[in-house]
Amino acid sequence: MIRKASWFSYLNADDIRTACSAGDAEGRIRIIYNADYYKESRSYDLIPQAGAQQFEMVSRIFGPLNVSQIDVEFNAPLGAFGGAESRDDLSRGQYIALTDALQANGFGYQNHDGLRLHSNDYYWIAIGCSSKNITLAAWTSAKDDLRALTFPGVLENLSGLEKPLPMPPAADAPKLPDPVYGKNDKKSESRNFYRTVRGNQLR
């Protein structure tokens, strides 16, 4: 079902949001790493099991098969990508270690309203459900030192994916400027897209 969803819907965790409002997603978290959309993206879904003492983490790597055929404005996304997948069982202690690392990096405490996440940049998104409320946090190499974040290391140690995480740019690396498109650049604008943090939504 997820592979048929649009990439934008998946990024915004629309499926988790719907379940959360119904009280059916307590403790669920989706974490996404965009390491330049047309090179590699990763997702990590943490799903509580009965009693919330055990958790399943589904990790996926997406790499472009043929990006020239991808239309990001309509049906882009997971169905057009392929890659490795790992399903791992986590204890409650491991889950808490990850959520503690997320919170130490600002999850639940951020105010990044208006932050733009560009497809050709490096960024992390974390979206979780607690008490029927959604929390969203985002970190981008345009604003944050991604190499200083601690939760990616915890995440990588818990995941069964063998391929190392792509290294984000150093904090002092030149920042990508926001692209400016002319009226004749519709193809480039469609290919290189962005999402904007608006409260706890990505628009």
Side-chain angles (χ1 to χ4, degrees), residues 108-120:
Y109 304 97
Q110 277 189 350
N111 181 13
H112 276 183
D113 195 59
L115 181 69
R116 284 187 176 182
L117 307 173
H118 291 274
S119 59
N120 60 340

Side-chain angles (χ1 to χ4, degrees), residues 17-117:
R17 292 173 187 275
T18 299
C20 186
S21 63
D24 297 329
E26 181 68 22
R28 279 201 64 180
I29 302 174
R30 175 169 298 155
I31 303 170
I32 293 177
Y33 182 38
N34 186 89
D36 189 333
Y37 179 79
Y38 292 104
K39 293 179 181 177
E40 181 172 313
S41 297
R42 298 193 182 202
S43 70
Y44 304 84
D45 274 285
L46 288 96
I47 307 165
Q49 304 302 299
Q53 296 302 310
Q54 295 291 324
F55 299 79
E56 181 182 36
M57 183 166 73
V58 183
S59 311
R60 298 181 176 93
I61 298 176
F62 304 114
L65 297 178
N66 187 349
V67 298
S68 65
Q69 297 179 0
I70 296 175
D71 181 349
V72 299
E73 292 184 351
F74 296 99
N75 292 315
L78 304 189
F81 287 62
E85 177 180 297
S86 177
R87 293 177 177 268
D88 302 283
D89 294 325
L90 306 185
S91 67
R92 183 167 182 81
Q94 289 173 316
Y95 176 87
I96 291 175
L98 177 57
T99 56
D100 284 350
L102 282 166
Q103 290 174 357
N105 290 151
F107 185 68
Y109 304 97
Q110 277 189 350
N111 181 13
H112 276 183
D113 195 59
L115 181 69
R116 284 187 176 182
L117 307 173

